Amino acid sequence: MVQAASQPISVAIIGTGFGGLGQAVYLKKAGIESFTIYEKGDEVGGTWRENTYPGAACDVPSHLYSYEFEPHYPWAYRYGKQAEILGYLQHVASKYGLRKHIRFGKQLVEASFDEPRGVWKLSFADGSKAEANVLVSSVGQLHKPQIPAIKGAETFAGTAFHSARWRHDLDFTGKRVAVIGTGPSAVQFVPAL
């Protein structure tokens, strides 16, 4: 189906991390205002909203980890820390008028293309539905825990959690802590502990 020239194309963007917000700003710059950003959380930020473990930061210099259209943010650190990067994304969402386009609490559970009508049919976890001509997935992966299958883990009597679901209620003073994995998250939170 060909979209009639008089009808605006509707765009659905999934996620309000760097990808989703960047897509939205460029749509606005192209004169397209008929877009909606669907976010499962209650605030923008994607990975930087979800990952709050001690020492969370970026391993890319802040001035390079910025949008080209918003390069002069007053970064306090050469390598931005989690709260500062989250603040940057919140700043961009507000400065560029993106908040009016965002629907929070909308976790996408299904998207199917209705070819005869030329629309994407979207279903969300809260039971709501929406349609759009264009679907842009800006879903990140760095906040989804990947738990290894460790023999005997179910019998461990201590507290266990993934860094992407950090337990801020725990006091680590005087505790022996075992960390499984040596990836970027561990490199950040182990020294902080």
Side-chain angles (χ1 to χ4, degrees), residues 99-162:
R99 290 189 178 277
K100 67 183 179 182
H101 295 275
I102 301 172
R103 303 298 174 265
F104 292 108
K106 297 294 181 186
Q107 181 174 359
L108 183 68
V109 293
E110 183 179 3
S112 60
F113 189 65
D114 183 340
E115 192 168 344
R117 293 180 53 228
V119 297
W120 284 93
K121 296 166 67 173
L122 311 175
S123 298
F124 300 93
D126 66 1
S128 63
K129 299 186 180 305
E131 292 185 347
N133 302 106
V134 178
L135 176 62
V136 179
S137 177
S138 292
V139 178
Q141 300 300 316
L142 297 178
H143 69 282
K144 295 181 179 178
Q146 297 297 316
I147 310 292
I150 300 172
K151 186 175 180 178
E154 67 281 354
T155 63
F156 178 65
T159 301
F161 61 92
H162 192 282

Side-chain angles (χ1 to χ4, degrees), residues 170-187:
L170 297 178
D171 181 5
F172 291 89
T173 306
K175 301 279 194 297
R176 288 181 55 200
V177 178
V179 176
I180 298 171
T182 58
S185 298
V187 169

